[in-house]
């Protein structure tokens, strides 16, 4: 029996981002359908405005370094300490203190989608290997990304689909 996730208008995905959990080997008799993840993209912050958009491969000049480079994510302005949430169900694949991006959490959504949250403070709420749910708090915005330190406080969010950077905001566009 197939179940259908009901999405609110704000949570609806664009057609390109919609996907189904891949069919796998027959389920373990002791497991239930509840164990399968329900992929449902949600914004990583409840309130934000875009400081710097995804550049889609185009070069943009960095306010911090003065160099021309691609911007493979989106910078979402928010207050320092704002809670950051997983955009979808997945597994925390990496947590690191990157020399350029500061404290960073990477989540593999096991459907070809990987999200990366940069510029967090050091007090993360998850560990590598943890399974997270859509909307689960994973950390707080910090001021740790030296690569974009000229900007006001923000979360740098990257999303990759099959290894290619995509505009994270397309994950959260509604159909109406």
């Amino acid at each position: 029996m197939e179940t259908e996730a009901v999405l609110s208008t704000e949570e609806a995905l664009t057609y390109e981002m919609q996907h189904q959990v891949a069919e796998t080997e027959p389920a373990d008799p002791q497991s239930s359908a509840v164990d399968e993840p329900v992929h449902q993209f949600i914004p990583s912050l409840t309130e934000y405005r875009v400081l710097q958009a995804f550049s889609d491969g185009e070069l943009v000049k960095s306010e911090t370094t003065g160099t021309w480079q691609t911007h493979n994510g989106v910078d979402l302005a928010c207050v320092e300490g704002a809670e950051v949430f997983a955009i979808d169900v997945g597994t925390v694949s990496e947590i690191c203190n990157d020399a350029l991006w500061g404290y960073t959490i990477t989540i593999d959504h096991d459907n070809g989608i990987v999200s990366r949250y940069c510029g967090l403070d050091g007090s993360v709420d998850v560990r590598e290997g943890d399974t997270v749910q859509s909307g689960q708090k994973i950390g707080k915005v910090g001021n740790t990304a030296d690569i974009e330190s000229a900007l006001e406080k923000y979360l740098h969010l990257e999303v990759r689909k099959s290894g290619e950077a995509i505009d994270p905001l397309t994950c959260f566009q509604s159909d109406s």
Side-chain angles (χ1 to χ4, degrees):
M1 175 180 196
E2 291 184 16
T3 59
E4 183 175 328
V6 178
L7 302 176
S8 71
T9 302
E10 291 180 355
E11 295 171 327
L13 304 175
T14 60
Y15 177 78
E16 177 186 4
M17 294 304 299
Q18 291 176 345
H19 57 276
Q20 297 178 352
V21 176
E23 292 183 17
T24 59
E25 296 179 24
D28 179 7
Q30 295 185 13
S31 69
S32 68
V34 175
D35 294 333
E36 290 188 27
V38 175
H39 293 282
Q40 182 175 358
F41 287 95
I42 63 150
S44 54
L45 295 167
T46 54
E47 294 182 26
Y48 63 86
R49 66 182 161 78
V50 176
L51 279 179
Q52 187 166 356
F54 175 74
S55 73
D56 199 19
E58 296 293 321
L59 295 177
V60 293
K61 190 170 186 177
S62 168
E63 291 181 36
T64 303
T65 65
T67 60
W68 291 87
Q69 57 201 38
T70 60
H71 193 248
N72 293 330
V74 63
D75 294 338
L76 306 174
C78 56
V79 298
E80 188 169 349
E83 295 181 336
V84 177
F85 307 98
I87 64 168
D88 192 17
V89 63
T91 303
V92 177
S93 59
E94 183 180 27
I95 298 174
C96 67
N97 186 2
D98 186 88
L100 297 176
W101 290 109
Y103 287 99
T104 300
I105 297 175
T106 304
I107 299 175
D108 184 343
H109 300 287
D110 197 32
N111 57 5
I113 304 287
V114 174
S115 58
R116 186 171 178 227
Y117 311 78
C118 306
L120 304 175
D121 73 3
S123 61
V124 297
D125 294 328
V126 293
R127 293 190 172 137
E128 287 183 14
D130 283 358
T131 298
V132 295
Q133 301 302 313
S134 295
Q136 179 179 332
K137 182 183 169 207
I138 59 172
K140 293 180 182 176
V141 172
N143 189 19
T144 61
D146 288 341
I147 188 72
E148 295 178 339
S149 59
L151 299 175
E152 60 188 274
K153 305 296 186 274
Y154 68 95
L155 170 71
H156 177 84
L157 174 64
E158 293 181 3
V159 176
R160 293 188 176 270
K161 182 176 182 180
S162 302
E164 296 292 322
I166 62 170
D167 184 351
L169 296 182
T170 62
C171 299
F172 318 119
Q173 292 176 344
S174 67
D175 292 334
S176 56

